[in-house]
């Protein structure tokens, strides 16, 4: 057994069948070592959207690792389903696309993958459109595919089970999608299929169909779903917690240097090739290194360094701007004074009522410290003089004694 | 509204949408009256078997009634599915047939329907093979069909619901069959579909698909499932309670003249055109009339009368034979005597144990009266002398006093 398959396991949630296996046919390291015959490593791409973010990049990065180990990446463009859209017409996500739209999306998609995938080394990349084989399936073939699974097995799929329990409609054609994805594996003779952990069921269906069609069943390799820059929910465009692969270097850098501390190691693991045991101890340095490293990957080292510089001067710029904050004199104020009253008379809020609401909403800060007590009160000018009072991100005043 | 649609309702379990309808588009009598445009009346035929029995003839007879009213019978030969068989290979019923086998079955089937259907009047019969349209469906079409229904709707189908409840596997391709049958209605533009009550779901799917494809939805007309000659279970070849359309006149006649009294009116209603308010009062005459009428239908009046004659002489032959029943003397028997002992010593049974078993099984009769008490006992010779003791249908003895 070859020694160094670190790249295979880095950031990998699961490989199935589980490794190492005593069955040489099911031992992935053994199969990978037999480099006489490069493995065919499948990754499916859905060309319905065009913007890819770092979350999408994770299985693609794993695909690149397979390429670097001498294997063949087989990128499947799911043009067939994209051209059908949602036959019920109910889904806004799956709207029907023309062949030209699908092709344009696919090209945009591939362009974004260019920094990750090796497009150039001969034999390392195969791009296939699944309409190639799916358009030729007839009713006989499709009945045969359907007959490989039972309703119970299909309803066990994550997502279906919950919806069935809740009496939410599951349209019958939805049962075809895992079978179609599985049939892609048959058609391209995949040895390994990559995907996020949400792809486990579909990849397993691919294994079953390959067995049914007397082909060697593929391995499944699952990668984690990336948590977004908010540190809470999965990265997604609609949640606005994403970093797009097409983003400008400065934007990418700025988002990444704010990745929360508890996610930073995961980001390093999944989005860089840096060793994890040698990261800076200072969290701020850690964020900067991550941002620099990932930005370098998509924009080159120079651009990334420039982005870092710009981000720094932007911050000091903001600091300078802060010095230009309008002043408000406390000379006329009678103490003790309520915070909400101060917000009103200083014109930060249009009324005391609005002042109370902004405090409740957590929008009010004194020298950066959030003030959440609606009845907060100050007894003397000295407590406030020289401090910055702020509502939201844009309204500031500096309080002065006279 | 035309007055005489007696033929439409005779022996009809249900018409849907329910009649009479105030919506002229959904009023079947109104549609039938508009004879400018004969209605297209669909009946599907499954060419996997070849022998048809009277149970199968019921919707075919209704089809004939539509023909006689000037409408077009559209017989659909389900050659497509027959040639696929059961893709799981698990069903012995749905074995895969070659095109030649299907064609041979279809011809045999049609030959048997010749006495029922009007094959000759121009415009009254259209025979279609559903491979004509099903073979051209591609994955896009099939996803569209599947998307018209939800898993919940399909699992509501009789048969599926029970199996799902009991955790018996339902293979996904089984969900396609109602859709395929429904799509047949779209393809032939059926106005009415006939079927047994077990076809309600499939016919309703046809209505839905026609609506989906912007065609006028068909009416469903359901006929009862015929009870077999045993008077208990539905007529079926495997239960041997059937009368085949290909049976010889004598065999057909003999089975029909034994139809149990409680079924006889239903048989008249479903299998003849005789008025039901004028049947003989004597049950035996009723049976003879039914047997004569139905046999005439398939073999002609002459052959039916001959069959009746032969059946009569067969019975009197059996009667004579009955006089030649072997005698058994009770002279040596000590009373009281158990029935099972008598069965043994008289050689009707090989042992007292077998005697008990035969009594339990209901096979033992004394002068035609079934004896079911294992401990039945007779106290005197006089109780038994002159009577016939019988085990099953073939073993008889006449008991004598000396």
């Amino acid at each position: 057994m070859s020694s160094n398959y670190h790249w295979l396991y880095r950031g990998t949630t699961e490989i199935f069948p589980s490794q190492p296996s005593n069955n040489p046919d099911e031992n992935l390291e053994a199969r990978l070592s037999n480099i006489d015959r490069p493995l065919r490593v499948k990754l499916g791409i859905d060309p319905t959207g065009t913007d890819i973010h770092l979350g999408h990049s994770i299985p693609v990065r794993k695909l690149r690792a397979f390429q670097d180990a001498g294997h063949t990446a087989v990128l499947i463009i799911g043009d067939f389903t994209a051209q059908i859209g949602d036959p019920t017409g109910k889904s806004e996500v799956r709207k029907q696309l023309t062949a030209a739209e699908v092709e344009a999306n696919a090209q945009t998609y591939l362009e974004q993958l260019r920094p990750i995938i090796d497009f150039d080394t001969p034999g390392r990349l195969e791009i296939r459109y699944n309409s190639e084989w799916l358009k030729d399936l007839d009713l006989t073939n499709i009945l045969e595919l359907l007959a490989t699974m039972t309703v119970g097995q299909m309803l066990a799929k994550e997502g279906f089970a919950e919806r069935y329990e809740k009496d939410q409609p599951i349209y019958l054609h939805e049962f075809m999608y895992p079978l179609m994805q599985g049939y892609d594996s048959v058609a391209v003779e995949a040895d390994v299929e990559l995907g996020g952990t949400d792809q486990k069921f579909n990849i397993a269906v691919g294994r079953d169909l390959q067995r049914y069609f007397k082909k060697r069943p593929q391995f499944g390799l699952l990668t984690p779903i990336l948590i977004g820059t908010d540190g809470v929910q999965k990265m997604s465009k609609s949640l606005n917690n994403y970093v797009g692969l097409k983003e400008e270097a400065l934007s990418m850098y700025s988002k990444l240097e704010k990745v929360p501390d508890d996610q930073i190691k995961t980001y390093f693991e999944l989005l860089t090739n840096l060793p994890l045991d040698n990261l800076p101890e200072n969290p701020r340095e850690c964020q900067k290194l991550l941002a620099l490293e990932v930005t370098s990957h998509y924009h080159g080292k120079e651009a990334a360094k420039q982005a870092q510089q710009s981000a720094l001067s932007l911050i000091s710029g903001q600091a300078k701007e802060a010095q230009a904050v309008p002043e408000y004199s406390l000379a006329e104020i009678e103490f003790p004074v309520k915070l909400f009253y101060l917000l009103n008379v200083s014109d930060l809020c249009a009324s005391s009522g609005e002042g109370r609401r902004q405090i409740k909403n957590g929008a009010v800060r004194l020298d950066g410290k959030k003030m959440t007590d609606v009845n907060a009160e100050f007894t003397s000018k000295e407590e406030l003089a020289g401090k910055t009072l702020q509502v939201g991100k844009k309204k500031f005043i500096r309080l002065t004694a006279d």
Side-chain angles (χ1 to χ4, degrees), chain A:
Chain A
M1 203 71 13
S2 165
S3 59
N4 194 0
Y5 284 104
H6 181 68
W7 61 268
L8 180 64
Y9 301 106
R10 176 168 174 142
T12 294
T13 307
E14 184 181 354
I15 296 173
F16 57 94
S18 60
Q19 299 298 314
S21 169
N22 290 328
N23 177 346
D25 255 10
E26 298 205 328
N27 187 308
L28 183 51
E29 289 191 15
R31 295 274 297 281
L32 287 166
S33 306
N34 177 16
I35 200 71
D36 297 345
R37 210 275 278 170
L39 296 192
R40 299 174 60 72
V41 185
K42 174 193 168 198
L43 179 66
I45 283 175
D46 173 13
T48 51
T50 53
D51 284 354
I52 322 185
H53 57 57
L54 288 176
H56 301 123
S57 79
I58 295 172
V60 185
R61 287 177 49 79
K62 188 62 76 178
L63 191 63
R64 170 59 183 263
F66 276 93
Q67 286 185 308
D68 288 346
H71 303 284
T72 305
V74 184
L75 270 183
I76 311 275
I77 314 281
D79 66 328
F80 186 85
T81 34
Q83 288 182 59
I84 292 176
D86 175 25
T88 67
K90 290 190 175 65
S91 163
E92 296 189 6
V93 182
R94 275 195 188 271
K95 68 170 191 186
Q96 194 173 1
L97 301 180
T98 65
E101 287 169 323
V102 169
E103 180 55 23
N105 285 353
Q107 288 311 321
T108 312
Y109 214 114
L110 291 173
E111 204 46 55
Q112 293 171 79
L113 299 188
R114 203 161 273 278
I116 314 178
I117 289 182
D118 178 355
F119 277 68
D120 303 318
T121 310
R124 295 277 165 88
L125 178 62
E126 194 175 301
I127 298 174
R128 303 284 288 273
Y129 290 74
N130 68 0
S131 60
E132 178 189 337
W133 46 87
L134 294 181
K135 74 173 164 36
D136 292 333
L137 292 181
D138 65 12
L139 181 51
T140 306
N141 304 134
I142 292 162
L143 287 168
E144 197 179 1
L145 288 179
L146 286 165
T148 61
M149 286 187 75
T150 68
V151 177
Q153 287 166 344
M154 194 56 93
L155 282 179
K157 177 173 155 66
E158 207 179 318
F160 286 153
E162 295 83 336
R163 286 163 62 194
Y164 190 70
E165 279 302 312
K166 289 184 194 159
D167 282 332
Q168 291 168 349
I170 300 167
Y171 290 88
L172 294 183
H173 70 287
E174 300 182 62
F175 281 180
M176 275 305 298
Y177 292 123
L179 290 165
M180 287 154 69
Q181 180 173 335
Y183 189 67
D184 290 347
S185 294
V186 175
V188 304
E189 304 198 316
D191 294 297
V192 183
E193 180 166 356
L194 310 184
T197 47
D198 55 355
Q199 292 298 308
K200 183 166 186 179
F201 185 91
N202 295 348
I203 296 175
V205 169
R207 279 175 63 79
D208 291 342
L209 285 182
Q210 287 175 314
R211 261 194 222 100
Y212 176 82
F213 286 104
K214 310 269 185 268
K215 310 225 173 200
R216 190 184 244 188
Q218 65 190 5
F219 293 88
L221 188 153
L222 307 181
T223 53
I225 306 296
L226 190 69
I227 297 295
T229 52
D230 59 358
V232 181
Q233 288 186 278
K234 80 174 201 180
M235 184 172 281
S236 131
K237 203 172 171 186
S238 59
L239 294 171
N240 199 24
N241 62 355
Y242 72 106
V243 181
L245 301 197
K246 284 197 302 191
E247 281 187 41
E248 302 279 330
L250 179 55
S251 166
M252 187 177 268
Y253 183 93
S254 306
K255 288 183 178 180
L256 285 165
E257 71 163 0
K258 287 178 203 126
V259 165
D261 293 346
D262 60 350
Q263 290 300 321
I264 203 134
K265 196 161 173 187
T266 304
Y267 270 61
F268 270 111
E269 184 177 22
L270 297 173
L271 302 174
T272 78
N273 292 328
L274 296 180
L276 302 179
D277 46 14
N278 207 11
L279 300 176
E281 296 209 354
N282 179 315
R284 181 85 189 100
E285 289 305 309
C286 225
Q287 288 174 316
K288 283 164 71 176
L289 178 61
L290 174 74
L292 191 69
E293 180 71 15
V294 174
T295 307
S296 297
H297 191 55
Y298 292 98
H299 296 281
K301 211 152 210 158
E302 268 320 299
K305 278 188 180 160
Q306 272 180 24
Q308 190 169 50
Q309 283 308 317
S310 308
L312 276 170
S313 45
L314 205 69
I315 290 167
S316 60
Q318 283 168 349
K320 275 180 206 142
E321 228 175 87
Q323 288 168 4
V325 162
E327 299 192 342
Y328 181 75
S329 166
L330 298 169
E332 309 284 331
I333 301 291
E334 284 188 30
F335 285 89
V337 65
K338 292 278 190 188
L339 175 57
F340 62 75
Y341 176 77
L342 203 56
L343 290 167
N344 178 19
V345 292
S346 66
D347 277 333
L348 282 173
C349 294
S351 65
S352 291
E354 197 209 324
R356 287 170 182 275
R357 273 196 302 281
Q358 295 286 17
I359 297 168
K360 268 193 201 150
N361 292 342
V364 175
R365 288 172 187 268
L366 184 65
D367 256 5
K369 182 167 168 282
K370 199 182 277 187
M371 307 296 288
T372 53
D373 180 4
V374 174
N375 293 311
E377 183 175 85
F378 305 98
T379 47
S380 70
K381 209 183 279 189
E382 285 64 39
E383 260 186 273
L384 293 172
K387 291 189 174 167
T388 304
L389 184 62
Q390 169 184 3
V391 176
K393 287 190 178 149
K394 291 181 185 158
K395 291 160 94 180
F396 297 81
I397 49 173
R398 184 191 304 269
L399 303 168
T400 59
D402 49 7

